[in-house]
Amino acid sequence: MSRNVVIVGATSAIAQEVARHFADARDRLLVVARDAAKLQAVAKDLVARGASGVDELVCDLADLAALPGLLSKLAEAAPRLDVVLVAHGVLGDQAEAERDWAHAEMLLRVNFTSVAALLTPVANLLEKQGSGTIAIISSVAGDRGRATNYVYGAAKAATTAFASGLRNRLAKKGVHVVTINPGFVATPMTAHLKKGPLVADPRSVGQTIFRAIEAKKDVAYVPGFWRLIMFVIRHIPERIFKRLRL
Ligand SMILES: NC(=O)c1ccc[n+]([C@@H]2O[C@H](COP(=O)([O-])OP(=O)(O)OC[C@H]3O[C@@H](n4cnc5c(N)ncnc54)[C@H](OP(=O)(O)O)[C@@H]3O)[C@@H](O)[C@H]2O)c1
């Protein structure tokens, strides 16, 4: 039976790759993004790949007041939500966030507050339904604050904690929550950054995320070696960590 799959932030390079796997599986997709033209192109691609239907919803997720309306539209479009993947995010500029609170506030709002604002009613809906999977793209940046991106990292740390709490709450209600922690992925978000040897491509990352959703993993590091890297980084004593240039 075809599932109803919601992809929030569907124009993201990573989300597009995940969505293609659901299209291959002939699922029905409800795609949400702020740029109507880009969203239309994504929807067209998913239809061509075999999705059993694609509904488009345009929404600026930085506009918190618009989010309750978004959920009503999703609930109207599908009688049952089987998978909700939240993928939108913005890396921003750490130096600007240090100078200008408005920029820092936008990073916190897009990367965390909007996720919590959206998932609060989504979680209640799935809880009532007694089934479904919520997949949340957080980041390894949320595992420990670093000088070069701690505002983005703080938002992702909050997202990781929120996802953990949701999982703990909803596990008893038939609803699964998977936290996805990608490392460095070559997407438009990181196009301006120097690429190191650990950079992953969005296609393989998308496949790993799809598999983590299907396997009902709790926390997936993508690629998997980031679990070990972040274990080591989290355990560096603060007196040493504060001297490192990271
Ligand atoms: N790339 C990495 O190295 C990396 C590492 C760890 C975690 N992540 C996370 O992975 C997720 C996907 O990112 P990506 O790498 O695929 O980057 P991307 O291609 O730049 O995608 C980011 C997406 O977020 C959307 N977005 C940003 N602000 C929005 C808003 N206010 N309303 C609606 N949509 C908004 C963007 O929409 P527009 O197209 O309209 O701008 C874009 O589709 C993000 O949560 C990111 O934090 C990425």
Side-chain angles (χ1 to χ4, degrees):
M1 198 175 69
S2 122
R3 297 170 294 181
N4 294 317
V5 179
V6 179
I7 313 266
V8 180
T11 53
S12 121
I14 294 176
Q16 286 181 56
E17 294 295 342
V18 183
R20 285 174 176 170
H21 290 276
F22 286 109
D24 289 344
R26 305 274 182 271
D27 288 322
R28 176 164 170 242
L29 287 128
L30 296 93
V31 288
V32 181
R34 64 177 164 183
D35 184 316
K38 278 198 223 168
L39 187 60
Q40 206 171 29
V42 168
K44 219 171 143 188
D45 171 68
L46 295 172
V47 169
R49 284 167 187 271
S52 69
V54 182
D55 286 305
E56 296 161 46
L57 287 171
V58 176
C59 181
D60 182 347
L61 299 155
D63 177 7
L64 299 181
L67 298 184
L70 173 64
L71 185 79
S72 323
K73 284 182 197 153
L74 289 172
E76 253 170 52
R80 188 191 72 250
L81 302 182
D82 298 298
V83 178
V84 178
L85 169 67
V86 177
H88 67 284
V90 57
L91 188 59
D93 181 332
Q94 172 64 29
E96 194 183 339
E98 290 168 21
R99 282 191 305 270
D100 177 9
W101 166 246
H103 186 67
E105 187 277 330
M106 182 278 291
L107 291 182
L108 297 171
R109 180 158 33 94
V110 173
N111 291 309
F112 171 62
T113 315
S114 71
V115 177
L118 186 68
L119 289 182
T120 295
V122 165
N124 294 340
L125 194 141
L126 266 56
E127 183 179 37
K128 212 165 145 196
Q129 191 177 275
S131 66
T133 296
I134 298 173
I136 306 168
I137 304 193
S138 189
S139 172
V140 294
D143 278 12
R144 193 160 191 181
R146 295 183 293 120
T148 49
N149 75 343
Y150 64 84
V151 176
Y152 171 81
K156 289 297 193 182
T159 294
T160 297
F162 192 86
S164 169
L166 272 188
R167 180 163 45 251
N168 190 229
R169 170 187 152 199
L170 296 174
K172 298 108 184 157
K173 304 290 172 74
V175 179
H176 185 68
V177 178
V178 51
T179 310
I180 317 281
N181 289 328
F184 197 148
V185 190
T187 68
M189 181 179 277
T190 55
H192 60 294
L193 302 175
K194 218 173 99 198
K195 306 283 176 297
L198 299 183
V199 66
D201 74 280
R203 185 171 293 186
S204 67
V205 165
Q207 185 176 52
T208 308
I209 293 175
F210 177 74
R211 285 184 180 154
I213 294 171
E214 297 294 78
K216 295 200 187 305
K217 290 253 172 80
D218 293 320
V219 179
Y221 282 81
V222 192
F225 57 75
W226 281 100
R227 186 180 290 275
L228 180 63
I229 295 175
M230 295 320 295
F231 178 84
V232 172
I233 289 180
R234 278 197 313 274
H235 288 85
I236 298 172
E238 203 59 50
R239 67 178 182 286
I240 297 171
F241 193 76
K242 69 184 179 188
R243 295 201 184 96
L244 303 178
R245 287 165 64 90
L246 292 165

